[in-house]
Amino acid sequence: MPKDTRNPAAAPPAGGSGAAPAPHLPAALPISVNGKPYFHEGDPAMPLLWFLRDSLRLTGSKYGCDNGQCGACNVLLDGKAVRACSLPMSAAANHAVTTIEGIGATNLHPVQQAWIEADAIQCGYCQSGQIIAAIDLLKRKPRPAEDDIAAIGNVCRCGSQPQIRRAIARAAELLQGGKK
Amino acid sequence: MTASFDAGRRHFLAVSLTGTGALLLAPVLRAAPLPNVPAELLGEDFTGLGPFLRIERDNRIVIGAPACEVGQGVFTDLPMIIAEELDLDWSQVRVLQLPYGGGDGANPYGRQGADAADAAARTFLRHAGANARWLLLQAAAREWNLPAESLRTQAGEVIASDGRKLSYGALARSAASITLPAAPPALKSTAAYTIIGKPIATADAREIVTGACRYGIDHYGAGALLAVIARCPLPGGSLLRMDDSKARKVSGVVDVIELPHSTDAPAVAGIAVLARHSWAALQGRALLEIQWQPAADTSESSSALIAAAHAALDGKDGGIPVRSDGEPLRIRKQPARHRIESRYELPFLAHAVMEPPNALIEINQDGARLVAAVQDPDGASQWIARLTGLRRQNIRIELPRGGGSFGRRLDNDYVAEAVVVAKAAGKPVKLMWTRSDDLQHDRYRPLGVHALAASLDRHNRISAWSHRCAATPVDARTPNAGLLEATAFPAGFVAHLQQSFHPLSTHLPLAAGAWLDAFRTFAIESFIDELAVVSRQDAVKLRLTMLEDAKAPATVNGVECTRLAHVLRRCAARIDWRTPRTDGRGLGIACHAGGGGSFAHAFEVAVEGGQLRIHRAVCVADIGTVINPRNAQEQIAGATLDGLAATLQQAITLKDGRIQQRGLQDYPLLRLGLSPRSTEIEIIDSTDDAVDPAFASASAGPALANAVYAATTVRVRKLPLLPELMRLL
Ligand code: FES
Ligand code: FES
């Protein structure tokens, strides 16, 4: 397994009064991200979001809050949508994570296609998390009812919900068409 | 489609600005210093003071977007203006974000803080396109030896009357050697538009849905330390003592810096924790032990402010007179068929941008580089110069996409903080605000209470009106500014009208903006609905009677009566206003003139299973000339849902001098479940001046409250609406 050499979490503490010998380092945690294997050697309590963003520089997963309230950080963990900001590396380890960068990397995923068609973008900051939530929903419920859509916990500050609703409907169509 | 061009490619056309403000297209020496031109627009042969355009030999065209995109659509809409005057086919165009072009001299990109509604910015960009087109025409005329007047342009080509064609790409080089005339070439007539007025999708949509688009927070910078700041939670307070020994022990924490308290910077007192990565910085900050020194008064609370507002409105002091038409006290003296009085309470609000503020700054002896979504890059540049002593021409500002603004990114407080931290650390710094920082250290929408009273005559017309407002001023020098001005509706429509204002004092920093319209309009449009209910008349008809009074002039205090009446009628028609609803559903409507635009909202709602359901939302808006109808629809929908979310759920509350909201659990942003199941937007065709669509938010809140009343007979006069409705039901 190649090691992530850019992982700043693995760097020794420097400067200040923290220069005392580091306590015994936690064991490196293996994790698969977008099909590639990595290790995390820092604090096992570090949320997955910061590993993705700061260590791997996969910045498509966004920071919007600190406690699972907004959904901007959504990623797929073994295919299910989870909040990367609320998942410590100790829990994410040994699982397969797919971020927005790993979805439709070569060809757009039908949900991404639907998002473009519906122009479900204003500032766009929440949208990678919305797309992950929709992928997860449409996998479970190919024809989602209003209650299923209402159950999506993602927020959008810009008020793009009308376009998101259209995008979900369109994505459901595209996914069903694809199966025919 | 953003541009990703090989900077070494040679052939392109640069449009630049001369000292007199004329745009010019000119080859410049290769080695000229060009701090503010992105490499993708430069190439090697030519440079300019501020190119918007690059034309490749194969006719691919790059257009620079001058303003910071924060969701208002300028990244797409402003380049559309250039493309229109240049006669391009939009599919040829790639858009590239320009950095800040200002410095000590004129800014070749124009006013970069401008939104798409800024008339001067639009005209500036139109000339940029028209000038380039003129030069390309001249180049073709030379080539064919034909008079330029005999040629036309279409979809990126110059076409002769005999049908010969030359692409812009083939002409760009020779066009670059031609000098523009002193008088600027004519602009297109709006009738000839082929791009403006057509619905065009977000230019960088693909980057956004694939996670490739880099927002401010996604920039790390070489060797930059991640910084978070522990700020005093008591507005105006300062640091008493702190112990950072635990914070410094966190693996990854590099330094802890007490920020020099400066009255110069807009930054508050605080302690910065610098680390190699975000998590270490956050952990370190959590382990700081800090004692804050409060400012004079720590007892301030929202409930006390609201109580003080009511006390002021109950008291003998009449407050600051704002306007007095006709006879005072008419409401009490005049025998009237109906006479009512209501009060409306509104809380503080925060901007709560989806991407909390952040800034990456690198400073060295020769210059500085800022990467941050800022809507006032001029101000940011001035702050950096002031805090570093650098010359403004040596300050480069890159403008990445920003996750929302709503006015928040007009403030450069986070830029100033980043500069202060980077200077103290002697290293490049990426400053990040957390969500709780964002909710606790914003500038807020004012809090206040409106007291409205009115009487109706025997024709059921509003004969007298009194509006008294007690609120926290944004600016103490002009306390009622934006909150209750002499132009506030229905001033000018009612013969006997009194308005007065009582300022309340708070330590909280406050901000003006389109949300002040919502602050006022919620009360006014709710109250008009109450008058309609009391007098058993149709709420649309009551408003139209005022707007269409034959004696009223065409424009009353900024209200364009015909336009406002028109959007109101259209809105009523679309929601099927005259058809009574059953099944516990109710309709509500409201309208508003603001920022030069006219808006009407209607909602159809019901309380089902103890939950508010918004079945339909309609907004009809007259926002003048629209560049991109697709974006305009989204902006109006966004403003509608902004007004709805703020009205339903949001409040910033003070208790013991502190803001109580620490996360989105305390300050909910809108989820799909509470959003309208159907949202219909209609934009009136117009050639009038463009209007900022943010003003559309104001009538959404009262229309929703009016619909809630129609569905439940519960009149909510205290925001946020949802908790109050659940309490009253
Ligand atoms: S950042 Fe994870 S839910 Fe908000
Ligand atoms: S598009 Fe801006 S937060 Fe959703």
Side-chain angles (χ1 to χ4, degrees):
Chain A
M1 265 189 179
K3 200 168 131 173
D4 168 40
T5 50
R6 287 174 301 166
N7 185 348
S17 58
H24 74 96
L25 278 173
L29 299 170
I31 185 167
S32 156
V33 179
N34 298 335
K36 293 198 194 109
Y38 296 93
F39 281 105
H40 170 65
E41 294 186 333
D43 183 359
M46 175 156 120
L48 171 63
L49 179 65
W50 299 122
F51 177 73
L52 296 172
R53 291 182 53 84
D54 291 358
S55 302
L56 305 188
R57 296 288 154 88
L58 291 170
T59 54
S61 311
K62 300 302 190 207
Y63 166 79
C65 70
D66 298 278
N67 49 0
Q69 291 285 320
C70 75
C73 64
N74 272 1
V75 296
L76 296 172
L77 186 80
D78 302 331
K80 290 200 188 72
V82 295
R83 304 277 203 249
C85 70
S86 309
L87 193 72
M89 285 307 290
S90 54
N94 297 306
H95 290 278
V97 172
T98 308
T99 69
I100 190 75
E101 291 93 340
I103 290 163
T106 39
N107 289 313
L108 287 180
H109 186 284
V111 173
Q112 290 167 317
Q113 184 60 44
W115 242 253
I116 292 177
E117 284 180 30
D119 208 36
I121 291 156
Q122 283 188 26
C123 81
Y125 193 77
C126 71
Q127 302 297 353
S128 62
Q130 306 274 10
I131 288 168
I132 300 270
I135 289 175
D136 173 274
L137 169 68
L138 294 171
K139 209 182 296 169
R140 289 180 285 114
K141 309 249 174 161
R143 280 172 212 186
E146 170 62 28
D147 284 351
D148 303 317
I149 291 168
I152 291 181
N154 291 47
V155 304
C156 172
R157 171 66 177 89
C158 296
S160 71
Q161 285 87 354
Q163 294 100 278
I164 292 178
R165 282 173 175 273
R166 280 198 282 281
I168 293 174
R170 178 69 183 134
E173 259 172 45
L174 287 174
L175 284 162
Q176 307 229 319
K179 276 183 201 136
K180 268 177 207 158
Chain B
M1 298 166 289
T2 40
S4 156
F5 269 75
D6 169 6
R9 296 287 291 266
R10 283 167 182 260
H11 310 295
F12 69 100
L13 190 65
V15 178
S16 35
L17 184 80
T18 65
T20 60
L23 281 154
L24 125 106
L25 192 89
V28 183
L29 289 178
R30 173 189 295 231
L34 291 151
N36 288 325
V37 180
E40 293 89 334
L41 274 178
L42 270 186
E44 288 179 355
D45 288 358
F46 308 124
T47 62
L49 289 173
F52 278 105
L53 283 172
R54 173 168 169 175
I55 300 179
E56 290 283 337
R57 282 233 155 147
D58 62 6
N59 223 18
R60 284 180 300 160
I61 290 163
V62 186
I63 301 184
C68 181
E69 174 65 69
V70 291
Q72 78 286 49
V74 287
F75 184 76
T76 308
D77 290 12
L78 297 182
M80 281 173 69
I81 299 173
I82 298 177
E84 179 68 70
E85 291 291 341
L86 192 49
D87 266 340
L88 295 175
D89 177 342
W90 184 251
S91 65
Q92 290 174 279
V93 175
R94 284 156 190 256
V95 180
L96 173 91
Q97 179 66 51
L98 293 170
Y100 173 60
D104 289 335
N107 185 340
Y109 304 139
R111 290 190 19 209
Q112 290 187 281
D115 59 46
D118 185 306
R122 286 189 187 205
T123 306
F124 187 80
L125 297 177
R126 288 180 72 190
H127 282 296
N131 291 354
R133 177 178 169 274
W134 186 89
L135 292 165
L136 291 158
L137 275 171
Q138 304 305 313
R142 273 191 200 173
E143 177 80 23
W144 289 327
N145 209 4
L146 289 170
E149 298 71 47
S150 71
L151 309 176
R152 63 190 181 92
T153 53
Q154 190 186 341
E157 292 178 319
V158 181
I159 305 168
S161 50
D162 60 8
R164 276 183 290 172
K165 289 178 180 174
L166 274 170
S167 77
Y168 287 179
L171 292 166
R173 251 203 132 155
S174 91
S177 67
I178 298 169
T179 310
L180 275 172
L187 300 174
K188 259 189 181 179
S189 83
T190 55
Y193 281 174
T194 59
I195 296 175
I196 290 178
K198 298 278 175 313
I200 291 195
T202 307
D204 50 350
R206 194 183 172 106
E207 282 80 357
I208 289 166
V209 304
T210 55
C213 177
R214 291 174 82 204
Y215 291 73
I217 198 173
D218 302 331
H219 291 263
Y220 283 80
L225 292 173
L226 213 300
V228 292
I229 299 176
R231 296 172 188 81
C232 182
L234 300 151
S238 53
L239 179 66
L240 194 58
R241 63 179 72 88
M242 70 114 173
D243 177 354
D244 60 7
S245 51
K246 288 187 188 139
R248 287 181 179 275
K249 291 203 180 85
V250 172
S251 168
V253 168
V254 174
D255 207 351
V256 177
I257 297 172
E258 197 178 309
L259 298 183
H261 189 69
S262 157
T263 46
D264 188 30
V268 297
I271 301 144
V273 178
L274 292 94
R276 296 189 193 287
H277 53 92
S278 311
W279 180 238
L282 292 170
Q283 293 286 92
R285 185 174 76 166
L287 291 171
L288 289 173
E289 285 163 18
I290 312 172
Q291 262 185 290
W292 298 106
Q293 173 74 53
D297 177 15
T298 56
S299 63
E300 195 176 336
S301 74
S302 286
S303 55
L305 281 167
I306 292 283
H310 284 295
L313 294 167
D314 291 337
K316 289 219 166 63
D317 176 0
I320 302 167
V322 175
R323 183 181 180 119
S324 180
D325 292 348
E327 295 170 34
L329 298 178
R330 176 112 187 163
I331 291 163
R332 264 175 251 165
K333 279 187 190 151
Q334 162 106 353
R337 269 192 56 174
H338 300 289
R339 194 183 304 154
I340 68 165
E341 174 160 2
S342 288
R343 289 192 185 182
Y344 303 87
E345 295 179 9
L346 291 100
F348 293 117
L349 292 178
H351 293 92
V353 286
M354 196 71 210
E355 176 193 7
N358 55 72
L360 169 67
I361 183 115
E362 298 163 356
I363 305 168
N364 57 41
Q365 282 164 309
D366 311 320
R369 171 177 172 253
L370 171 74
V371 184
V374 291
Q375 286 191 288
D376 175 17
D378 238 10
S381 158
Q382 280 166 26
W383 270 116
I384 298 169
R386 189 145 146 198
L387 293 165
T388 60
L390 289 166
R391 296 189 55 182
R392 287 186 60 202
Q393 68 199 43
N394 297 329
I395 297 165
R396 183 182 164 85
I397 301 178
E398 287 164 39
L399 301 169
R401 200 174 240 273
S405 173
F406 320 98
R408 176 66 184 88
R409 292 182 214 274
L410 289 166
D411 268 344
N412 283 304
D413 53 338
Y414 51 102
V415 172
E417 280 184 347
V419 173
V420 170
V421 175
K423 261 182 65 183
K427 296 212 174 67
V429 159
K430 173 182 172 179
L431 172 71
M432 185 178 83
W433 283 44
T434 62
R435 176 57 62 197
S436 84
D437 298 341
D438 171 55
L439 292 172
Q440 301 238 319
H441 300 281
D442 198 358
R443 292 206 295 139
Y444 303 88
R445 190 188 78 174
L447 158 152
V449 177
H450 297 271
L452 284 153
S455 62
L456 293 132
D457 63 20
R458 64 200 144 80
H459 305 296
N460 262 341
R461 288 166 179 244
I462 299 172
S463 49
W465 179 281
S466 150
H467 187 164
R468 298 176 303 134
C469 172
T472 54
V474 178
D475 179 349
R477 288 164 302 179
T478 50
N480 61 318
L483 297 165
L484 180 60
E485 291 178 17
T487 51
F489 194 79
F493 292 93
V494 176
H496 306 284
L497 177 137
Q498 265 71 46
Q499 294 167 329
S500 59
F501 186 80
H502 298 262
L504 305 171
S505 90
T506 177
H507 284 99
L508 270 198
L510 305 175
W515 60 6
L516 296 187
D517 278 36
F519 174 85
R520 183 175 63 245
T521 303
F522 179 76
I524 294 168
E525 286 291 309
S526 292
F527 189 62
I528 290 178
D529 200 67
E530 294 202 47
L531 289 173
V533 170
V534 167
S535 60
R536 288 175 212 231
Q537 51 180 327
D538 183 273
V540 173
K541 201 170 143 254
L542 174 60
R543 290 177 173 90
L544 287 176
T545 309
M546 274 196 266
L547 294 172
E548 294 181 335
D549 187 332
K551 279 174 279 170
T555 302
V556 181
N557 289 317
V559 177
E560 293 176 56
C561 299
T562 317
R563 290 171 87 181
L564 188 57
H566 184 60
V567 296
L568 182 59
R569 281 181 192 284
R570 287 294 313 143
C571 188
R574 276 200 85 136
I575 198 102
D576 214 356
W577 178 254
R578 286 170 185 281
T579 307
R581 300 308 204 262
T582 52
D583 301 340
R585 294 198 185 188
L587 291 184
I589 202 160
C591 62
H592 165 62
S598 297
F599 308 94
H601 277 97
F603 288 92
E604 178 169 347
V605 310
V607 175
E608 292 162 10
Q611 303 237 312
L612 180 69
R613 291 226 195 283
I614 303 169
H615 291 280
R616 276 180 85 193
V618 173
C619 179
V620 180
D622 183 341
I623 50 170
T625 309
V626 164
I627 295 171
N628 181 357
R630 186 161 190 171
N631 181 45
Q633 292 250 346
E634 291 166 8
Q635 296 304 313
I636 297 292
T640 298
L641 270 62
D642 177 25
L644 181 151
T647 302
L648 282 177
Q649 292 184 291
Q650 294 166 356
I652 288 290
T653 51
L654 271 175
K655 195 169 179 226
D656 301 329
R658 291 179 187 231
I659 286 166
Q660 293 181 288
Q661 288 67 30
R662 300 183 155 271
L664 296 181
Q665 68 283 1
D666 311 316
Y667 196 84
L669 301 184
L670 194 65
R671 295 203 153 98
L672 275 170
L674 205 51
S675 74
R677 290 183 181 189
S678 125
T679 306
E680 296 152 56
I681 308 296
E682 181 177 317
I683 294 176
I684 304 292
D685 266 342
S686 167
T687 52
D688 287 307
D689 288 348
V691 171
D692 181 354
F695 286 94
S697 67
S699 43
L704 185 78
N706 296 343
V708 165
Y709 175 80
T712 62
T713 70
V714 174
R715 176 67 63 183
V716 180
R717 301 189 186 91
K718 179 180 165 156
L719 299 186
L721 185 147
L722 216 44
E724 186 67 3
L725 174 66
M726 294 306 150
R727 192 178 69 79
L728 293 172
L729 267 179

